[in-house]
Amino acid sequence: MMPMQRRHSWPRLSRTLLPAVTMAVLLGLGSPVGASSASSSSVALRIADYAVATATHDNPAHVVTAADLSNAAGITAVNNTNLFLLINVGDVFGFSRLVLFFQEKPFVDICLNLPDTVGGTPKIIPCPRQARGLWDTHGGALAVSNRAIAAAAATGHAVSGADVVAAAKVYHLTLRRKPIFLAGQGGKVEFTTPVEMGLNTKFTVDTCVQLPKTAYGIPIWVPC
């Protein structure tokens, strides 16, 4: 299951989709170590264990899902340090069992790998930089796509590749190649975005969006 329509935002740190050539990813910038980090990890594991228990005690029992985890994270008695569920199960292509919790005070990210077997054990893992880069950049790609669709609809036609090019210029996002599909054809476009993660880590994230054939359609984040 790949619930791609869910959208998350940062608590009090929500980034609006402003024009930007480089997306600065906050992972790894000043995350504390020691007691506070260990405590947050313990809470993250408690949430994950509760979600696994929910799935295991269901009839029939099933592998833990995004719904199970969202439910567990919303229970104050379980999530007693107010961890924010930023990436849920199935949210990021290529990282189907990844979960990422964020805590604002103290600033810390905690990543877990959720089991793909019934009753399996969740494990704390290093946060994959590519997954975080994909999550932080896909919103911009969808915003450009929606702007292109709306602009095309305002002139009475479905989105074309030229509409996407024009919208990408407004947001200062880079297309890997110029899309050439005509209105009514639909097509997949690929954005490429430089990402800075910490002081010395830079890499590029490619994000693909499927544009609709119909006017007023909905763009869909898809694998590249």
Side-chain angles (χ1 to χ4, degrees):
M1 183 173 68
M2 186 69 66
M4 303 315 303
Q5 296 303 315
R6 184 170 50 255
R7 294 289 177 265
H8 300 296
S9 61
W10 287 73
R12 283 186 276 173
L13 292 178
S14 179
R15 285 195 289 278
T16 56
L17 295 171
L18 298 175
V21 176
T22 301
M23 306 256 325
V25 181
L26 295 178
L27 178 61
L29 298 181
S31 295
V33 295
S36 296
S37 181
S39 174
S40 298
S41 296
S42 297
V43 174
L45 278 172
R46 183 164 68 238
I47 295 169
D49 285 337
Y50 190 100
V52 171
T54 298
T56 303
H57 284 80
D58 200 7
N59 187 17
H62 59 267
V63 173
V64 65
T65 66
D68 297 324
L69 198 67
S70 293
N71 176 71
I75 300 173
T76 304
V78 178
N79 183 9
N80 61 357
T81 59
N82 197 30
L83 292 185
F84 178 72
L85 181 57
L86 182 63
I87 295 177
N88 204 340
V89 176
D91 272 348
V92 181
F93 294 116
F95 300 88
S96 63
R97 306 308 295 172
L98 173 69
V99 170
L100 189 153
F101 288 100
F102 168 76
Q103 186 172 29
E104 183 180 355
K105 294 180 180 179
F107 185 93
V108 64
D109 289 321
I110 307 102
C111 288
L112 298 93
N113 185 64
L114 273 266
D116 58 3
T117 56
V118 175
T121 303
K123 295 181 180 178
I124 298 287
I125 60 171
C127 290
R129 67 180 191 180
Q130 191 71 17
R132 184 59 181 274
L134 282 167
W135 182 251
D136 281 358
T137 59
H138 88 282
L142 287 172
V144 168
S145 301
N146 270 317
R147 182 184 178 95
I149 292 166
T155 60
H157 62 83
V159 67
S160 68
D163 296 318
V164 177
V165 171
K169 287 181 179 178
V170 174
Y171 280 84
H172 300 286
L173 292 186
T174 302
L175 291 160
R176 180 166 289 279
R177 59 188 61 85
K178 183 178 180 179
I180 58 174
F181 62 89
L182 302 177
Q185 292 181 333
K188 185 166 76 171
V189 297
E190 184 174 359
F191 299 86
T192 182
T193 309
V195 174
E196 293 185 10
M197 187 173 291
L199 298 177
N200 300 310
T201 302
K202 297 181 180 181
F203 58 99
T204 299
V205 170
D206 294 330
T207 307
C208 288
V209 179
Q210 181 66 41
L211 276 294
K213 295 180 179 180
T214 57
Y216 300 93
I218 298 173
I220 301 173
W221 182 25
V222 295
C224 288

